[in-house]
Amino acid sequence: MPSITPTITLTPSESTLRRLLLDCAAYIDREHLPTGPQPPAASNTPLTLRFTGGWVRDKLLQSQSSDIDVAINTMTGYNFAMHLSTYISLHGPKYSITTEPHSIHKILSNPLKSKHLETATTKILGLDIDLVNLRSEAYSEDSRIPATMEFGTPTEDALRRDATVNALFYNLHTEEVEDFTGRGLAHLQQGLIDTPLPPFETFRDDPLRVIRLVRFASRLNFTILPPVQAAMRDPEIHKHLTTKISRERVGTEVEKMLNNGRDPHHSLLLIHNLNLTSAIFSPPIDNLPALPWGDVLPAINALKYIFSTNPPEFLAEGFTPGDRYLAWITAATVPWRYNYEGGDGHKRVSSAAVAARVGLKLKNKDFEVIVNTYKHLEDIKSTVALVSTAEGGQGSRRTLGTAIRRWGATWHNQLLHSAIIELVDVWGRGGTGGEGESEGKDEGEPTAPAKEIISRYNLFAKRISEEKLARVWEMKSLVNGNELAEILGKEGGVGRWVKPALEKVVEWQIEHPECGKDDAQKFVMEMGRMGEI
């Protein structure tokens, strides 16, 4: 069970911020400053301020957060922010603030983006602050954007949230934690994920909460309660997830889960076991083809093993957190690997890449990595096999170098993705053959065929490192086009013949790394004499 403290201890910056906000609220009340839109019967109600949501949860779990949501009971966040800016300009030095807030960003009222009242963001004392009013919401059947969003009570604001552990408030006036759902503190102590309202209602109103709860369960290592899991598995909720939520929002949540999350493998395992893989990792299309969604389980288990082996050789060359995120995307979209869609007439684009691009709104550079993985897949597999089995030298230096040049700057990503795809068919499936057929498990140890595949890829990458070829994709010819034409006596100068000729020079350089420009010029003359250029 997580260890939580019943009270919150503020850092010096948080304590100063609390005092500043309370003094500003008292100043607004005392001076009867204009408040703008207000809830009914608010004229005689003093301003009450609360820290809300994730900051409260994390502080209770004895974790620090620099992002603070401040909920205000009787005025919009933007109007409070304007008074706060004025107050700081008058009294800032009292709080060790020598300048006005870093900046105040007004978030306009926009019902189409679920912004019915103006809010504001700013930065004070190194803390990122969101200023919002307490809210109540009502939803329509066809959108996750609230049809109405009005001033609400603390209880109404708590009930509209995605999880009870995210619905806790810290009252700046009383310095007490407030649990208006009546279950948030207990669930935080017990390590449980539950919804403030009945889960089906919570997810029907905003299906994105399904993905958010998976993310929180994984990040906090909490257990999702069975009734919540049942609602998350409901086909109607899955339909709402694919029709009411923009793919940009889905992609953003998935990136938080896999790129910044505590345990990407756990997140994807939960998604698989909750039957959510096809709803999340597919473009929103009708008549979704029957795909082997159960293949996600061996793919993510294989990738977890690869990432935990300290690291394998083929992760050693400049592998970044972003590269790891992209590998998890490849594992999650591996059921699309046998399906191809038409490209631009010159190449075929893998459906896995299309699913990631359309379904998650993947960035262009990441999309291209997956495109190139499948474009070069058979080449990568055959080259890796050649290097691991070739007699004697295990493949020439030229073989390795020209392969890396074919695959380009992201060769290390493509190498890992190719390994994942190969491993799917030989990795244990943890007792389930399809999406959610039974609870998938974390199968930690690879089978003998899987170990052999990993060994091949490690050997290939080790050779690349030993031969110092990791950046050979950017190697330039020691002889440029004009020099090439002059050496060969080409009267017409450079032409279409130059590019393949220069590549032959580069291939020669790969094979003769000790040679210089004079040697390269001699090689060009010899090629010309033999009629090879």
Side-chain angles (χ1 to χ4, degrees), residues 8 111 178 207 428 508-509:
I8 286 178
E178 299 171 328
W508 177 86
Q509 291 172 203

Side-chain angles (χ1 to χ4, degrees), residues 156-267:
E156 288 172 329
D157 195 273
L159 292 176
R160 72 176 180 82
R161 295 175 181 263
D162 50 18
T164 55
V165 296
N166 294 335
L168 297 166
F169 297 166
Y170 173 76
N171 189 310
L172 272 63
H173 306 261
T174 65
E175 299 183 78
E176 294 178 343
V177 175
E178 299 171 328
D179 182 5
F180 291 101
T181 71
R183 295 172 286 144
L185 283 170
H187 288 162
L188 198 64
Q189 180 69 63
Q190 297 162 8
L192 300 176
I193 295 292
D194 194 7
T195 54
L197 294 172
F200 189 88
E201 179 182 345
T202 295
F203 300 143
R204 183 192 58 201
D205 286 345
D206 184 357
L208 190 65
R209 291 166 175 162
V210 170
I211 308 178
R212 286 173 56 82
L213 292 199
V214 169
R215 177 162 64 86
F216 288 125
S218 175
R219 176 188 163 192
L220 302 171
N221 197 26
F222 279 15
T223 299
I224 302 174
L225 286 174
V228 181
Q229 291 192 37
M232 296 170 94
R233 289 189 174 96
D234 191 287
E236 184 176 342
I237 296 301
H238 294 182
K239 181 180 178 181
H240 288 314
L241 184 57
T242 58
T243 57
K244 292 178 69 171
I245 307 298
S246 73
R247 302 315 290 185
E248 288 86 354
R249 294 303 301 271
V250 172
T252 297
E253 285 297 323
V254 168
E255 183 172 6
K256 289 178 181 178
M257 197 183 296
L258 303 184
N259 198 14
N260 304 316
R262 175 178 177 271
D263 190 345
H265 175 270
H266 187 201
S267 297

Side-chain angles (χ1 to χ4, degrees), residues 277-297:
T277 315
S278 58
I280 294 174
F281 294 101
S282 296
I285 57 177
D286 294 328
N287 302 316
L288 183 69
L291 297 174
W293 290 109
D295 287 354
V296 169
L297 187 60

Side-chain angles (χ1 to χ4, degrees), residues 61-369:
L61 291 171
Q62 303 178 52
S63 176
Q64 293 300 319
S65 174
S66 61
D67 297 325
I68 303 179
D69 291 348
V70 182
I72 308 156
N73 64 331
T74 60
M75 63 191 304
T76 68
Y78 180 70
N79 284 327
F80 184 87
M82 291 298 94
H83 293 310
L84 179 63
S85 181
T86 300
Y87 186 82
I88 289 175
S89 68
L90 296 172
H91 305 286
K94 176 181 176 182
Y95 308 93
S96 301
I97 301 174
T98 57
T99 61
E100 294 186 11
H102 176 71
S103 60
I104 292 177
H105 299 283
K106 181 179 183 180
I107 302 175
L108 296 173
S109 171
N110 185 348
L112 294 179
K113 293 186 178 180
S114 82
K115 302 294 181 184
H116 292 254
L117 292 166
E118 293 172 347
T119 62
T121 64
T122 189
K123 194 177 187 77
I124 302 174
L125 298 169
L127 301 168
D128 295 309
I129 312 298
D130 282 1
L131 295 156
V132 301
N133 57 277
L134 292 172
R135 289 172 282 175
S136 66
E137 299 171 343
Y139 292 83
S140 64
E141 284 292 326
D142 58 352
S143 175
R144 68 171 289 270
I145 297 173
T148 61
M149 180 186 291
E150 308 293 345
F151 282 95
T153 66
T155 298
E156 288 172 329
D157 195 273
L159 292 176
R160 72 176 180 82
R161 295 175 181 263
D162 50 18
T164 55
V165 296
N166 294 335
L168 297 166
F169 297 166
Y170 173 76
N171 189 310
L172 272 63
H173 306 261
T174 65
E175 299 183 78
E176 294 178 343
V177 175
E178 299 171 328
D179 182 5
F180 291 101
T181 71
R183 295 172 286 144
L185 283 170
H187 288 162
L188 198 64
Q189 180 69 63
Q190 297 162 8
L192 300 176
I193 295 292
D194 194 7
T195 54
L197 294 172
F200 189 88
E201 179 182 345
T202 295
F203 300 143
R204 183 192 58 201
D205 286 345
D206 184 357
L208 190 65
R209 291 166 175 162
V210 170
I211 308 178
R212 286 173 56 82
L213 292 199
V214 169
R215 177 162 64 86
F216 288 125
S218 175
R219 176 188 163 192
L220 302 171
N221 197 26
F222 279 15
T223 299
I224 302 174
L225 286 174
V228 181
Q229 291 192 37
M232 296 170 94
R233 289 189 174 96
D234 191 287
E236 184 176 342
I237 296 301
H238 294 182
K239 181 180 178 181
H240 288 314
L241 184 57
T242 58
T243 57
K244 292 178 69 171
I245 307 298
S246 73
R247 302 315 290 185
E248 288 86 354
R249 294 303 301 271
V250 172
T252 297
E253 285 297 323
V254 168
E255 183 172 6
K256 289 178 181 178
M257 197 183 296
L258 303 184
N259 198 14
N260 304 316
R262 175 178 177 271
D263 190 345
H265 175 270
H266 187 201
S267 297
L268 291 174
L269 186 62
L270 282 172
I271 287 171
H272 172 82
N273 289 339
L274 292 167
N275 300 9
L276 288 164
T277 315
S278 58
I280 294 174
F281 294 101
S282 296
I285 57 177
D286 294 328
N287 302 316
L288 183 69
L291 297 174
W293 290 109
D295 287 354
V296 169
L297 187 60
I300 64 174
N301 285 343
L303 184 56
K304 180 181 179 181
Y305 175 84
I306 288 172
F307 281 151
S308 68
T309 50
N310 295 318
E313 293 287 347
F314 60 96
L315 298 186
E317 295 290 346
F319 220 76
T320 68
D323 295 326
R324 287 175 176 260
Y325 160 67
L326 200 53
W328 289 115
I329 295 294
T330 294
T333 57
V334 77
W336 291 97
R337 67 192 183 281
Y338 297 126
N339 298 272
Y340 291 87
E341 294 188 5
D344 56 10
H346 303 287
K347 64 182 180 182
R348 47 180 201 169
V349 178
S350 75
S351 289
V354 173
R357 175 63 171 157
V358 178
L360 300 175
K361 296 300 180 181
L362 208 63
K363 295 174 183 175
N364 286 335
K365 64 181 182 65
D366 294 334
F367 168 68
E368 287 298 326
V369 173

Side-chain angles (χ1 to χ4, degrees), residues 371-390:
V371 167
N372 286 327
T373 292
Y374 284 92
K375 175 184 176 182
H376 299 139
L377 182 60
E378 295 306 318
D379 185 20
I380 294 171
K381 290 163 62 176
S382 62
T383 304
V384 168
L386 172 67
V387 169
S388 65
T389 57

